[in-house]
Structures are given as structure tokens and as C-alpha cells.
Coordinates of all heavy atoms in Angstrom, one line a residue:
M1 N 0.9 -1.2 0.0 CA 0.0 0.0 0.0 C 0.8 1.2 0.0 O 1.9 1.3 0.6 CB -0.9 0.0 1.3 CG -1.7 -1.2 1.4 SD -3.4 -0.8 1.5 CE -4.1 -2.4 1.8
A2 N 0.4 2.2 -0.6 CA 1.2 3.5 -0.8 C 1.3 4.3 0.4 O 0.6 4.1 1.3 CB 0.5 4.3 -1.9
L3 N 2.3 5.0 0.5 CA 2.6 6.0 1.7 C 2.8 7.4 1.1 O 3.5 7.5 0.1 CB 3.8 5.5 2.4 CG 3.7 4.4 3.5 CD1 5.0 4.3 4.2 CD2 2.6 4.7 4.5
S4 N 2.5 8.4 2.0 CA 2.7 9.7 1.6 C 3.9 10.2 2.5 O 3.7 10.2 3.8 CB 1.5 10.6 1.9 OG 1.8 12.0 1.7
R5 N 5.0 10.6 2.0 CA 6.1 11.1 2.7 C 6.8 12.3 1.9 O 6.9 12.3 0.8 CB 7.2 10.0 2.9 CG 6.7 8.9 3.8 CD 6.7 9.3 5.3 NE 6.4 8.3 6.2 CZ 5.2 7.9 6.5 NH1 4.1 8.5 6.1 NH2 5.0 6.9 7.4
C6 N 7.1 13.4 2.7 CA 7.7 14.5 2.1 C 9.2 14.3 1.8 O 9.7 13.1 2.1 CB 7.6 15.7 3.1 SG 8.7 15.6 4.5
K7 N 9.8 15.2 1.2 CA 11.2 15.0 0.7 C 12.2 14.9 1.9 O 13.3 14.4 1.7 CB 11.6 16.2 -0.3 CG 10.8 16.1 -1.6 CD 11.1 17.1 -2.6 CE 10.4 16.9 -3.9 NZ 10.6 18.0 -4.9
V8 N 11.8 15.5 3.0 CA 12.7 15.3 4.2 C 12.6 13.9 4.7 O 13.6 13.3 5.1 CB 12.2 16.3 5.3 CG1 13.1 16.1 6.6 CG2 12.4 17.7 4.8
H9 N 11.4 13.4 4.7 CA 11.2 12.0 5.3 C 11.1 11.0 4.2 O 10.1 10.1 4.2 CB 9.9 12.1 6.1 CG 10.1 12.9 7.4 ND1 9.2 14.0 7.6 CD2 11.0 12.9 8.4 CE1 9.6 14.6 8.7 NE2 10.6 13.9 9.2
E10 N 12.0 11.0 3.2 CA 11.9 10.1 2.1 C 12.4 8.8 2.5 O 12.9 8.5 3.5 CB 12.7 10.7 0.9 CG 14.1 10.9 1.1 CD 14.8 11.5 0.0 OE1 14.1 11.8 -1.0 OE2 16.1 11.7 0.1
N11 N 12.3 7.9 1.4 CA 12.7 6.5 1.6 C 12.1 5.8 2.8 O 12.9 5.3 3.7 CB 14.3 6.4 1.7 CG 14.9 6.8 0.4 OD1 14.5 6.5 -0.7 ND2 16.0 7.5 0.5
P12 N 10.8 5.8 2.8 CA 10.2 5.2 4.1 C 10.5 3.7 4.2 O 10.6 3.0 3.1 CB 8.7 5.4 3.8 CG 8.5 5.5 2.4 CD 9.8 6.2 1.9
Q13 N 10.5 3.2 5.3 CA 10.8 1.8 5.6 C 9.4 1.1 5.7 O 8.7 1.4 6.7 CB 11.6 1.5 6.8 CG 13.0 2.1 6.8 CD 13.8 1.6 5.6 OE1 13.9 0.4 5.4 NE2 14.3 2.5 4.7
G14 N 9.1 0.2 4.9 CA 7.8 -0.4 5.0 C 7.7 -1.4 6.1 O 8.6 -2.0 6.5
R15 N 6.4 -1.6 6.5 CA 6.1 -2.6 7.5 C 5.5 -3.8 6.7 O 5.0 -3.6 5.6 CB 5.3 -2.1 8.6 CG 6.0 -1.1 9.4 CD 5.1 -0.6 10.5 NE 5.7 0.6 11.3 CZ 5.1 1.4 12.0 NH1 3.8 1.3 12.2 NH2 5.8 2.3 12.6
N16 N 5.3 -4.9 7.4 CA 4.6 -6.1 6.8 C 5.1 -6.4 5.5 O 4.4 -6.9 4.6 CB 3.1 -5.7 6.7 CG 2.5 -5.3 8.0 OD1 2.9 -5.9 9.1 ND2 1.6 -4.3 8.1
G17 N 6.5 -6.3 5.3 CA 7.0 -6.8 4.0 C 6.9 -5.8 2.9 O 7.4 -6.1 1.7
N18 N 6.3 -4.6 3.1 CA 6.2 -3.6 2.0 C 7.7 -2.9 1.8 O 8.2 -2.5 2.8 CB 5.2 -2.5 2.4 CG 3.8 -3.0 2.2 OD1 3.5 -3.9 1.4 ND2 3.0 -2.4 3.0
E19 N 8.1 -2.9 0.6 CA 9.4 -2.2 0.3 C 9.0 -1.1 -0.7 O 8.5 -1.4 -1.8 CB 10.4 -3.2 -0.2 CG 11.7 -2.5 -0.5 CD 12.7 -3.5 -1.1 OE1 12.4 -4.6 -1.2 OE2 13.8 -3.0 -1.5
Y20 N 9.4 0.1 -0.4 CA 9.0 1.2 -1.3 C 10.2 1.5 -2.3 O 11.4 1.7 -1.9 CB 8.7 2.4 -0.5 CG 7.4 2.2 0.3 CD1 7.4 1.7 1.6 CD2 6.1 2.3 -0.4 CE1 6.2 1.4 2.2 CE2 5.0 1.9 0.2 CZ 5.0 1.5 1.6 OH 3.9 1.2 2.2
V21 N 9.9 1.5 -3.5 CA 11.0 1.5 -4.5 C 11.0 2.8 -5.3 O 12.0 3.1 -6.0 CB 10.8 0.3 -5.6 CG1 11.0 -1.1 -4.8 CG2 9.4 0.3 -6.3
T22 N 10.0 3.6 -5.3 CA 10.0 4.8 -6.0 C 8.9 5.7 -5.5 O 8.1 5.4 -4.7 CB 9.7 4.6 -7.5 OG1 10.0 5.7 -8.3 CG2 8.3 4.2 -7.8
N23 N 8.9 7.0 -5.9 CA 7.9 7.9 -5.5 C 7.3 8.6 -6.8 O 8.1 8.8 -7.7 CB 8.4 8.9 -4.4 CG 9.4 9.9 -5.0 OD1 9.1 10.8 -5.8 ND2 10.6 9.7 -4.5
V24 N 6.1 9.1 -6.7 CA 5.4 9.8 -7.8 C 4.7 11.0 -7.1 O 4.5 11.0 -5.9 CB 4.4 8.9 -8.5 CG1 5.2 7.9 -9.3 CG2 3.4 8.3 -7.7
E25 N 4.4 12.0 -7.9 CA 3.7 13.2 -7.3 C 2.2 13.0 -7.3 O 1.7 12.6 -8.3 CB 4.1 14.4 -8.1 CG 5.6 14.8 -8.0 CD 6.0 16.0 -8.8 OE1 5.1 16.6 -9.5 OE2 7.1 16.4 -8.7
P26 N 1.6 13.4 -6.2 CA 0.1 13.4 -6.3 C -0.4 14.6 -7.1 O 0.4 15.5 -7.4 CB -0.3 13.6 -4.8 CG 0.9 14.3 -4.2 CD 2.1 13.8 -4.9
I27 N -1.6 14.5 -7.6 CA -2.2 15.6 -8.3 C -2.0 16.9 -7.7 O -2.2 17.0 -6.4 CB -3.8 15.3 -8.5 CG1 -3.9 14.0 -9.4 CG2 -4.4 16.5 -9.1 CD1 -3.5 14.2 -10.8
N28 N -1.6 17.9 -8.5 CA -1.3 19.3 -8.0 C -0.2 19.4 -7.0 O -0.1 20.5 -6.4 CB -2.7 19.9 -7.3 CG -3.8 20.0 -8.3 OD1 -3.5 20.2 -9.5 ND2 -5.0 19.9 -7.8
F29 N 0.7 18.5 -6.8 CA 1.8 18.6 -5.9 C 2.7 19.8 -6.5 O 2.8 20.0 -7.6 CB 2.7 17.3 -6.0 CG 3.9 17.3 -5.2 CD1 3.8 16.9 -3.9 CD2 5.1 17.9 -5.7 CE1 5.0 17.0 -3.1 CE2 6.3 17.9 -4.9 CZ 6.1 17.4 -3.5
P30 N 3.2 20.7 -5.5 CA 3.1 20.5 -4.1 C 1.9 21.1 -3.4 O 1.8 21.1 -2.2 CB 4.4 21.3 -3.7 CG 4.5 22.4 -4.7 CD 4.1 21.8 -6.1
D31 N 0.9 21.6 -4.3 CA -0.2 22.2 -3.6 C -1.2 21.1 -3.6 O -2.3 21.1 -4.2 CB -0.8 23.3 -4.5 CG -1.9 24.1 -3.8 OD1 -2.2 23.9 -2.6 OD2 -2.6 24.8 -4.6
T32 N -1.0 20.1 -2.7 CA -1.7 18.9 -2.7 C -2.4 18.7 -1.3 O -1.9 19.2 -0.3 CB -0.8 17.7 -3.1 OG1 -1.5 16.4 -2.9 CG2 0.4 17.6 -2.1
S33 N -3.4 17.9 -1.3 CA -4.0 17.5 0.0 C -3.3 16.4 0.6 O -3.6 16.0 1.7 CB -5.5 17.1 -0.2 OG -5.6 15.9 -1.0
S34 N -2.3 15.8 -0.1 CA -1.5 14.7 0.5 C -0.4 15.1 1.3 O 0.6 15.7 0.8 CB -1.0 13.7 -0.6 OG -2.1 13.0 -1.2
I35 N -0.5 15.0 2.6 CA 0.5 15.5 3.5 C 1.3 14.4 4.1 O 0.8 13.3 4.4 CB -0.3 16.3 4.6 CG1 -1.1 17.5 4.1 CG2 0.8 16.8 5.7 CD1 -0.4 18.5 3.3
C36 N 2.6 14.6 4.3 CA 3.5 13.7 4.9 C 2.8 13.0 6.2 O 2.4 13.7 7.0 CB 4.8 14.3 5.2 SG 6.0 13.2 6.0
G37 N 3.0 11.7 6.2 CA 2.3 11.0 7.4 C 3.3 10.8 8.5 O 2.9 10.1 9.5
R38 N 4.4 11.4 8.5 CA 5.4 11.2 9.5 C 5.3 12.1 10.7 O 5.4 13.3 10.5 CB 6.9 11.3 8.9 CG 8.0 11.0 9.8 CD 8.2 9.5 9.9 NE 9.2 9.1 10.9 CZ 10.5 9.1 10.7 NH1 11.0 9.3 9.5 NH2 11.3 8.7 11.6
N39 N 5.1 11.6 11.9 CA 5.0 12.4 13.1 C 4.1 13.5 12.9 O 3.0 13.4 12.5 CB 6.4 12.7 13.6 CG 7.3 11.6 13.8 OD1 6.8 10.5 14.2 ND2 8.6 11.7 13.7
N40 N 4.6 14.7 13.2 CA 3.8 15.9 13.1 C 4.1 16.7 11.9 O 3.8 17.9 11.9 CB 3.9 16.7 14.3 CG 3.4 16.1 15.6 OD1 2.4 15.4 15.5 ND2 4.2 16.2 16.7
C41 N 4.8 16.1 10.9 CA 5.2 16.8 9.7 C 4.0 17.3 8.8 O 3.2 16.4 8.5 CB 6.2 15.9 8.9 SG 6.8 16.7 7.4
N42 N 4.0 18.5 8.4 CA 2.9 19.1 7.6 C 3.3 19.4 6.2 O 2.6 20.1 5.5 CB 2.3 20.3 8.3 CG 1.5 19.9 9.5 OD1 0.9 18.8 9.6 ND2 1.5 20.7 10.5
N43 N 4.5 18.9 5.8 CA 4.9 19.2 4.4 C 4.1 18.3 3.4 O 3.5 17.3 3.7 CB 6.4 18.7 4.2 CG 7.3 19.5 5.0 OD1 7.0 20.7 5.3 ND2 8.5 18.9 5.4
P44 N 4.0 18.8 2.1 CA 3.3 18.1 1.1 C 4.0 16.8 0.9 O 5.3 16.7 0.9 CB 3.4 18.9 -0.1 CG 4.4 20.0 0.1 CD 4.5 20.2 1.6
G45 N 3.3 15.7 0.7 CA 3.8 14.4 0.6 C 4.0 13.9 -0.9 O 3.1 14.1 -1.7
L46 N 5.1 13.2 -1.1 CA 5.2 12.4 -2.4 C 4.5 11.1 -2.2 O 4.5 10.7 -1.0 CB 6.7 12.3 -2.9 CG 7.3 13.6 -3.2 CD1 8.9 13.4 -3.2 CD2 6.9 14.0 -4.6
I47 N 4.1 10.4 -3.1 CA 3.5 9.1 -2.9 C 4.5 7.9 -3.3 O 5.0 7.9 -4.4 CB 2.2 9.0 -3.8 CG1 1.3 10.2 -3.6 CG2 1.5 7.6 -3.5 CD1 0.8 10.4 -2.1
W48 N 4.8 7.2 -2.2 CA 5.8 6.2 -2.3 C 5.0 4.8 -2.7 O 4.0 4.6 -2.1 CB 6.6 6.0 -1.0 CG 7.5 7.1 -0.9 CD1 7.2 8.4 -0.5 CD2 8.9 7.1 -1.3 NE1 8.4 9.1 -0.5 CE2 9.4 8.5 -1.0 CE3 9.8 6.2 -1.8 CZ2 10.7 8.7 -1.3 CZ3 11.1 6.5 -2.1 CH2 11.6 7.8 -1.8
L49 N 5.5 4.2 -3.7 CA 4.9 3.0 -4.2 C 5.8 1.7 -4.0 O 7.0 1.8 -4.0 CB 4.7 3.1 -5.7 CG 3.9 4.3 -6.2 CD1 3.8 4.3 -7.7 CD2 2.5 4.4 -5.5
T50 N 5.1 0.7 -3.7 CA 5.8 -0.6 -3.6 C 6.2 -1.1 -4.9 O 5.7 -0.6 -6.0 CB 4.9 -1.7 -2.9 OG1 3.8 -1.9 -3.7 CG2 4.5 -1.2 -1.5
K51 N 7.0 -2.2 -5.0 CA 7.4 -2.7 -6.3 C 6.1 -3.2 -7.2 O 6.1 -2.9 -8.3 CB 8.2 -4.0 -6.1 CG 8.9 -4.6 -7.2 CD 9.8 -5.7 -6.9 CE 10.5 -6.3 -8.1 NZ 11.4 -7.4 -7.6
E52 N 5.2 -3.7 -6.5 CA 3.9 -4.2 -7.3 C 3.2 -2.9 -7.7 O 2.6 -2.9 -8.9 CB 3.1 -5.0 -6.3 CG 1.8 -5.5 -7.0 CD 1.0 -6.4 -6.1 OE1 1.4 -6.8 -5.0 OE2 -0.2 -6.7 -6.6
E53 N 3.1 -1.9 -6.9 CA 2.4 -0.7 -7.3 C 3.1 0.0 -8.4 O 2.5 0.6 -9.3 CB 2.2 0.3 -6.0 CG 1.2 -0.2 -5.1 CD 1.2 0.4 -3.8 OE1 2.3 0.9 -3.4 OE2 0.2 0.5 -3.1
K54 N 4.5 0.0 -8.4 CA 5.2 0.6 -9.5 C 4.9 -0.1 -10.8 O 4.8 0.6 -11.9 CB 6.7 0.6 -9.2 CG 7.6 1.2 -10.2 CD 9.0 1.1 -10.0 CE 9.9 2.0 -11.0 NZ 9.6 1.8 -12.3
K55 N 4.8 -1.4 -10.7 CA 4.4 -2.2 -11.9 C 3.0 -1.8 -12.4 O 2.8 -1.6 -13.6 CB 4.5 -3.7 -11.7 CG 4.3 -4.6 -12.9 CD 4.5 -6.0 -12.4 CE 4.4 -7.0 -13.6 NZ 3.3 -6.8 -14.5
N56 N 2.1 -1.6 -11.5 CA 0.8 -1.1 -11.9 C 0.8 0.2 -12.5 O 0.1 0.5 -13.5 CB -0.2 -1.0 -10.6 CG -0.4 -2.5 -10.0 OD1 -0.6 -2.5 -8.8 ND2 -0.5 -3.5 -10.8
Y57 N 1.7 1.1 -11.9 CA 1.8 2.5 -12.5 C 2.4 2.4 -13.9 O 1.9 3.0 -14.8 CB 2.7 3.3 -11.5 CG 2.9 4.7 -11.9 CD1 2.2 5.7 -11.4 CD2 4.0 5.1 -12.7 CE1 2.4 7.0 -11.8 CE2 4.3 6.4 -13.1 CZ 3.4 7.4 -12.6 OH 3.6 8.7 -13.0
D58 N 3.5 1.7 -14.0 CA 4.2 1.6 -15.4 C 3.5 0.9 -16.4 O 3.3 1.3 -17.5 CB 5.6 1.1 -15.1 CG 6.6 1.9 -14.3 OD1 6.3 3.1 -14.3 OD2 7.5 1.4 -13.8
D59 N 3.0 -0.3 -16.1 CA 2.5 -1.2 -17.1 C 1.0 -1.1 -17.3 O 0.4 -1.1 -18.4 CB 2.7 -2.7 -16.7 CG 4.2 -3.0 -16.6 OD1 5.1 -2.1 -17.0 OD2 4.6 -4.0 -16.1
D60 N 0.2 -0.8 -16.2 CA -1.2 -0.7 -16.3 C -1.7 0.7 -16.3 O -3.0 0.9 -16.3 CB -1.8 -1.5 -15.2 CG -1.3 -2.9 -15.1 OD1 -1.0 -3.5 -16.0 OD2 -1.2 -3.4 -13.9
K61 N -0.8 1.6 -16.1 CA -1.2 3.1 -16.1 C -2.1 3.4 -14.9 O -2.9 4.4 -15.0 CB -1.9 3.6 -17.4 CG -0.9 3.3 -18.6 CD 0.4 3.8 -18.5 CE 1.3 3.4 -19.8 NZ 2.7 3.7 -19.5
M62 N -2.0 2.6 -13.8 CA -2.8 2.9 -12.7 C -2.4 4.2 -12.1 O -1.2 4.5 -12.0 CB -2.6 1.8 -11.7 CG -3.6 1.9 -10.4 SD -3.2 0.6 -9.2 CE -4.0 -0.8 -10.0
R63 N -3.4 5.0 -11.6 CA -3.0 6.3 -11.1 C -3.7 6.6 -9.7 O -3.6 7.6 -9.1 CB -3.4 7.4 -12.1 CG -2.5 7.5 -13.4 CD -1.1 7.8 -12.9 NE -0.2 7.9 -14.2 CZ 0.5 6.8 -14.6 NH1 0.4 5.6 -14.1 NH2 1.3 7.0 -15.6
I64 N -4.5 5.7 -9.3 CA -5.1 5.8 -8.0 C -4.7 4.6 -7.1 O -4.7 3.5 -7.5 CB -6.7 5.8 -8.1 CG1 -7.1 7.0 -8.9 CG2 -7.4 5.8 -6.8 CD1 -8.6 7.1 -9.2
F65 N -4.2 5.0 -5.9 CA -3.5 4.1 -5.0 C -4.2 4.1 -3.6 O -4.7 5.2 -3.3 CB -2.0 4.3 -4.9 CG -1.4 4.0 -6.3 CD1 -1.1 5.0 -7.1 CD2 -0.9 2.8 -6.6 CE1 -0.6 4.8 -8.4 CE2 -0.4 2.5 -7.8 CZ -0.2 3.5 -8.7
N66 N -4.1 3.1 -2.9 CA -4.6 2.9 -1.6 C -3.5 3.3 -0.6 O -2.4 2.7 -0.7 CB -5.1 1.6 -1.3 CG -6.3 1.2 -2.1 OD1 -7.4 1.8 -1.9 ND2 -6.1 0.2 -3.0
F67 N -3.9 3.9 0.5 CA -3.0 4.1 1.7 C -3.4 2.9 2.6 O -4.3 2.2 2.4 CB -3.3 5.4 2.5 CG -2.8 6.6 1.7 CD1 -3.6 7.7 1.5 CD2 -1.5 6.6 1.2 CE1 -3.2 8.9 0.9 CE2 -1.1 7.8 0.5 CZ -1.9 8.9 0.4
P68 N -2.5 2.6 3.6 CA -2.7 1.5 4.4 C -4.0 1.3 5.2 O -4.4 0.2 5.6 CB -1.5 1.4 5.4 CG -0.4 2.2 4.6 CD -1.2 3.3 3.9
N69 N -4.7 2.4 5.4 CA -6.0 2.3 6.0 C -7.0 2.7 4.9 O -6.5 3.1 3.8 CB -6.2 3.2 7.2 CG -6.0 4.7 6.8 OD1 -6.7 5.2 5.9 ND2 -5.1 5.4 7.6
S70 N -8.2 2.5 5.1 CA -9.2 2.7 4.0 C -9.9 4.1 4.1 O -10.9 4.3 3.4 CB -10.3 1.7 4.1 OG -9.7 0.4 3.9
A71 N -9.2 5.1 4.8 CA -9.9 6.4 5.0 C -9.9 7.1 3.7 O -10.9 7.9 3.4 CB -9.0 7.1 6.0
T72 N -8.9 6.9 2.8 CA -8.9 7.7 1.5 C -7.9 6.9 0.6 O -7.2 6.1 1.0 CB -8.4 9.1 1.8 OG1 -8.6 9.8 0.6 CG2 -7.0 9.1 2.2
K73 N -8.1 7.3 -0.6 CA -7.1 6.9 -1.7 C -6.4 8.2 -2.1 O -6.8 9.3 -1.8 CB -7.7 6.2 -2.8 CG -8.5 5.0 -2.5 CD -9.1 4.3 -3.7 CE -9.9 3.1 -3.3 NZ -10.6 2.5 -4.5
V74 N -5.4 8.0 -3.1 CA -4.8 9.2 -3.6 C -4.6 9.1 -5.1 O -4.4 7.9 -5.6 CB -3.4 9.4 -2.9 CG1 -2.4 8.2 -3.2 CG2 -2.7 10.7 -3.3
K75 N -4.7 10.1 -5.8 CA -4.6 10.1 -7.3 C -3.3 10.8 -7.6 O -3.0 11.9 -7.1 CB -5.8 10.8 -8.0 CG -5.7 10.7 -9.6 CD -7.0 11.1 -10.2 CE -7.0 10.9 -11.6 NZ -8.3 11.3 -12.3
V76 N -2.5 10.2 -8.5 CA -1.2 10.7 -8.8 C -1.1 11.1 -10.2 O -1.9 10.8 -11.0 CB 0.0 9.7 -8.5 CG1 -0.1 9.3 -7.0 CG2 -0.2 8.5 -9.4
K77 N -0.1 12.0 -10.6 CA 0.1 12.4 -11.9 C 0.6 11.3 -12.9 O 1.1 10.4 -12.5 CB 1.2 13.5 -12.0 CG 0.8 14.8 -11.3 CD 2.0 15.8 -11.3 CE 1.6 17.1 -10.5 NZ 2.7 18.0 -10.5
Ligands
ZN101 ZN1 7.7 14.9 6.4

């Protein structure tokens, strides 16, 4: 599942076997509603994708991804 992390808090370490291999920009980045999920950081977040999500992005042109909870999804460029 995707994660939102700013440029300061990049290269997130995934849990549950998730390994993040790349990041993409959410729609309207940096003026985006996707905010870094790290501690109390309020910077705009890049969307980090797992290997499988990167394949979906590259091969299937998927642009909407799930965060680890079901509260929202995010659309990327
Ligand atoms: Zn941050």
C-alpha cells in the first residue's frame, strides 16, 4: 500500500514486507491534499509505491492508489 512522505522524510521503511521502490507526485503537488504522514510533519507528501504498485503504475497506467487504511485513496500524476 502506498505511503505519503515529504522530501525530508523520504525512503520510508515499509512494514509487513512492504518495500518502497519509487515515488510519484500526487495531483497538484506541491499544492496537494496529501500531507507527509510522519510524526507531526505538515509538508506536502510524495506518494511512495511498492514494487507491485510501481508495476501497476508503469504497465497498467494505474493512477489511484490505496493508503494502508481505508480512509482515503490518492490520485497521482
Ligand atoms: Zn515529512
